[in-house]
Amino acid sequence: MAALPTQQPQFMSNGDRRTHPKDPLIENIEYDQIVVPDKKSWKNLFAYMGPGFLVSIAYIDPGNFQTDLQAGAQYKYGLLWIILLASCAALVIQSLAANLGVVTGKHLAEHCRLEYPKVPNFILWIIAEIAIVACDIPEVIGTAFALNMLFKIPLWLGVLITGLSTLVLLLLQQYGVRKLEILITFLVLTIAGCFFAELAYAKPVASEVLQGLFVPQLKGSGATKLAISLLGAMVMPHNLFLHSALVLSRKIPRSVSGIREACAFYLIESGFALLVAFLINISVISVSGAVCNSSNLDPKDLQSCKNLDLNEASFLLRNVLGNWSSKLFAIALLASGQSSTITGTYAGQYVMQGFLDLRLKPWVRNFVTRCLAIVPSLAVAIIGGSSGAGNLIIIASMILSFELPFALIPLLKFTSCKTKMGIYVNSIAISATTWIISSLIMAINIYYLAETLVTSLRESHLKIVGIVFLGFLGVLAMLIYLASIAYLVIRKNKDGSHLIALTASDNRDVVNGHGGESLPREDIVNMQLPQTRNNNDALD
């Protein structure tokens, strides 16, 4: 690659367009931040640690535990390939989200507002908000299950208490959210260690596990439903908005080498975090599959396996933890739900700020989201009890899978657009891989919708007129879904560039009235979790 001119910025932003007139790209930072030194060193990796791990929390939340447990209990190791596919897809997709923020200085929701007309932008915002609520439902129910196991609190009352628990947790952040996150991570990894240890007792057949990982199979509509739930629980739409925004908190050198290093280290960090999440999900499915499909299972545990949910799953750890199995599982479940809720709250902030240029205080935002999630959770907990609440988690995860294309397609379009990404645009190989992944996800969703519609109509006891009417509505809904996806795929990106001015690494001339280091975004840092370092703690 030819050397860049030393006196000219490589890219200029389109009229120095800012997200908001009061949100400048600033040079003199007076708040806590992480500064990345402008020199090549593996030590720089530690400055980039954080966003990937915060995002990975969503991959081991109560929704994941619920779908993993049912997948193992019902289909043994037959759906492990979905976890492998989803984890690989997540690594590629999350790295693209990070690259979009690093290169352009704007996160995904902001790009959508700048790119799409008002009506499509508003619809995409509504879809993103529904995804955040759907993600919050498993966390509400998971926390309620945890309270039930710890204190014998009725499920419906636990749902109500959960609405206040996260507000208290947000207040505790002023005492050091990093310490809180370390504690939460420790608890989640503790339960992961227990499942790893349980593998020694469950003794899953290695050849069957490998076959489940590398031989795709879907046996019946029930397996397809769980496969969609696993995909939705793993690759969440709101995570794309979250990751593209979290990376804007780092003060990185605006040079070719600096941006390349940031993209590479964010990929490494995300890879390590997602590998941990992958191993946890694999271990949960393997333990559930081995225990629930054992030939010497006692009748009580066999009954639990038939309707396995978070409230009944602690018996899987009995060999490792004994009578403490339910307590420790409940603590980890509580930690998982609460930590996921914190990241979900900030994702909601970024979505609202990006799509609507509107910001709310975290506690207000959390209160609104929690109210929307509590209503269906409370109704199902009262009417359907533990089993109904578990099924609601599966449905919420399916909603996330159906909504994924409406965040994924814009991300793929933006990161494949040269006017937005410049020399950092996706390669042909990356573009082909990501479009194949997204096509597979959409194909599974459409297959399930079509299969469910045909099965429902075939088994319906309605008269022919009612069947035809319902069939017409079902086909119409599918056509609208497909047309919406097609609009996002076919529509051409705008020609305007959103690139931040970029200078060569040896150039410190003023760019757009500010220094060569244009990040972090003050509005993003102020909205985000407090940082671990300040200016005096920059890496040497």
Side-chain angles (χ1 to χ4, degrees), residues 29-292:
I29 314 295
E30 297 180 353
Y31 48 86
D32 289 345
Q33 60 173 283
I34 296 179
V35 179
V36 182
D38 189 8
K39 64 178 182 179
K40 291 185 178 180
S41 173
W42 66 268
K43 294 181 180 179
N44 288 356
L45 175 62
F46 295 104
Y48 291 104
M49 300 291 281
F53 282 91
L54 289 174
V55 167
S56 71
I57 290 174
Y59 292 81
I60 49 175
D61 70 351
N64 289 97
F65 284 141
Q66 174 73 23
T67 52
D68 289 348
L69 291 168
Q70 289 203 3
Q74 296 180 28
Y75 298 98
K76 205 171 183 180
Y77 317 121
L79 295 179
L80 284 176
W81 67 275
I82 292 288
I83 299 298
L84 179 61
L85 173 65
S87 297
C88 294
L91 177 58
V92 176
I93 293 168
Q94 294 294 164
S95 67
L96 294 185
N99 292 351
L100 181 67
V102 168
V103 174
T104 67
K106 290 182 174 66
H107 56 79
L108 180 57
E110 291 174 323
H111 277 282
C112 289
R113 188 179 83 243
L114 294 172
E115 182 69 29
Y116 297 109
K118 288 185 178 180
V119 173
N121 180 72
F122 182 78
I123 294 174
L124 288 175
W125 170 67
I126 293 295
I127 291 174
E129 292 290 355
I130 293 174
I132 292 171
V133 173
C135 178
D136 207 41
I137 286 175
E139 291 150 13
V140 169
I141 296 176
T143 303
F145 277 142
L147 294 176
N148 177 263
M149 285 185 277
L150 287 172
F151 308 111
K152 304 301 181 183
I153 295 176
L155 193 61
W156 66 269
L157 182 58
V159 169
L160 291 177
I161 294 175
T162 301
L164 301 175
S165 62
T166 306
L167 298 180
V168 175
L169 205 59
L170 287 171
L171 291 176
L172 294 177
Q173 290 185 23
Q174 60 183 314
Y175 299 106
V177 73
R178 288 304 188 191
K179 296 178 181 178
L180 185 63
E181 287 294 325
I182 289 173
L183 174 62
I184 290 172
T185 303
F186 172 76
L187 292 173
V188 173
L189 291 179
T190 299
I191 201 66
C194 293
F195 274 104
F196 292 155
E198 178 70 7
L199 287 174
Y201 289 91
K203 294 182 174 60
V205 180
S207 59
E208 294 182 6
V209 173
L210 291 175
Q211 182 180 0
L213 273 172
F214 297 106
V215 179
Q217 54 180 308
L218 287 174
K219 298 180 180 179
S221 60
T224 307
K225 177 181 177 181
L226 266 179
I228 292 174
S229 300
L230 288 169
L231 281 174
M234 289 291 289
V235 189
M236 297 185 179
H238 77 284
N239 256 2
L240 305 183
F241 297 104
L242 176 64
H243 205 172
S244 64
L246 289 175
V247 298
L248 299 179
S249 63
R250 265 58 175 177
K251 185 176 177 66
I252 67 173
R254 298 307 301 180
S255 63
V256 172
S257 60
I259 292 178
R260 286 196 187 282
E261 179 187 76
C263 293
F265 280 155
Y266 277 132
L267 175 63
I268 294 172
E269 185 232 5
S270 298
F272 182 73
L274 292 176
L275 176 61
V276 174
F278 168 75
L279 293 176
I280 291 175
N281 284 289
I282 290 296
S283 67
V284 174
I285 292 180
S286 297
V287 168
S288 176
V291 172
C292 288

Side-chain angles (χ1 to χ4, degrees), residues 515-528:
E517 293 175 330
S518 300
L519 295 181
R521 285 261 303 276
E522 182 181 14
D523 57 324
I524 295 296
V525 174
N526 287 343
M527 196 190 301
Q528 194 205 321

Side-chain angles (χ1 to χ4, degrees), residues 432-443:
T433 301
T434 50
W435 280 108
I436 290 173
I437 290 171
S438 59
S439 298
L440 288 174
I441 293 173
M442 288 182 282

Side-chain angles (χ1 to χ4, degrees), residues 493-504:
N493 290 328
K494 289 182 179 179
D495 293 333
S497 173
H498 304 313
L499 285 163
I500 293 179
L502 172 64
T503 59

Side-chain angles (χ1 to χ4, degrees), residues 113 348-360 527:
R113 188 179 83 243
Q349 283 287 88
Y350 299 138
V351 163
M352 184 170 289
Q353 174 263 329
F355 280 107
L356 304 181
D357 200 13
L358 175 67
R359 291 174 57 185
L360 295 176
M527 196 190 301

